[in-house]
Amino acid sequence: MVERTVSPQSLVAFDGNFYSVPPGLPGVQVKVLHRLGEDDLRIVTAGRAVVACHRRAPQGAGQTVRDSGHVIALERAVLSSFSDRAPCKTKVRKPPSAAALAEAERLREGPATGSSAERVVIDLTHYAAVADRLRSVPSPKQEENPE
């Protein structure tokens, strides 16, 4: 028996694998029960309620073992959280301020001559030239079969 914490994706990690539990338990401490010689494992809450029973995956396989009922319940929980209501009312689209417009105009005028922090750091023209040259290089298959 080991204690684990349920992930936000309703999964419990055990022996290098992940096992599903019903949605609504993220952050909850659960116990994973596995008896030697048995192929199944049980996941129980602190109140000893069995919330999941899975066939055990090979140790360290990196598998995610999901119960179809848990998947359906999780999909329903996720879909029910969506809404067709208007977006957050506290986020209002405001036009740029006069200071922001002035700064944008200053940036459009050309490269700054001040400190190194104000100068252009990356010039993408060199990368564009390399990309153009690479487009004209024949692929290995074209080199093998010249037409």
Side-chain angles (χ1 to χ4, degrees):
M1 172 177 67
V2 294
E3 282 196 10
R4 295 290 189 259
T5 303
V6 178
S7 76
Q9 295 79 25
S10 296
L11 297 172
V12 175
F14 178 71
D15 273 352
N17 298 298
F18 294 96
Y19 298 91
S20 68
V21 296
L25 298 173
V28 172
Q29 290 288 321
V30 294
K31 294 178 183 173
V32 180
L33 305 173
H34 174 257
R35 292 192 176 156
L36 291 175
E38 289 186 0
D39 292 334
D40 295 334
L41 61 83
R42 292 185 310 280
I43 302 173
V44 299
T45 63
R48 295 188 176 190
V50 177
V51 292
C53 184
H54 294 285
R55 179 160 301 281
R56 189 167 179 224
Q59 185 173 351
Q63 292 183 4
T64 301
V65 180
R66 295 184 189 268
D67 179 272
S68 60
H70 298 160
V71 172
I72 292 168
L74 187 59
E75 285 176 354
R76 285 184 180 154
V78 169
L79 291 175
S80 70
S81 69
F82 287 106
S83 156
D84 59 353
R85 294 186 310 247
C88 180
K89 292 181 181 181
T90 59
K91 291 186 177 182
V92 180
R93 290 180 149 261
K94 297 179 184 176
S97 67
L101 291 171
E103 181 64 16
E105 188 59 36
R106 186 187 70 77
L107 291 171
R108 281 190 212 102
E109 287 176 1
T113 57
S115 72
S116 63
E118 293 177 344
R119 282 187 246 127
V120 174
V121 177
I122 299 173
D123 181 8
L124 296 178
T125 56
H126 173 72
Y127 296 104
V130 171
D132 287 339
R133 282 196 308 269
L134 290 174
R135 282 189 202 106
S136 64
V137 173
S139 70
K141 284 186 178 181
Q142 289 174 336
E143 288 178 354
E144 291 174 5
N145 303 322
E147 294 179 6

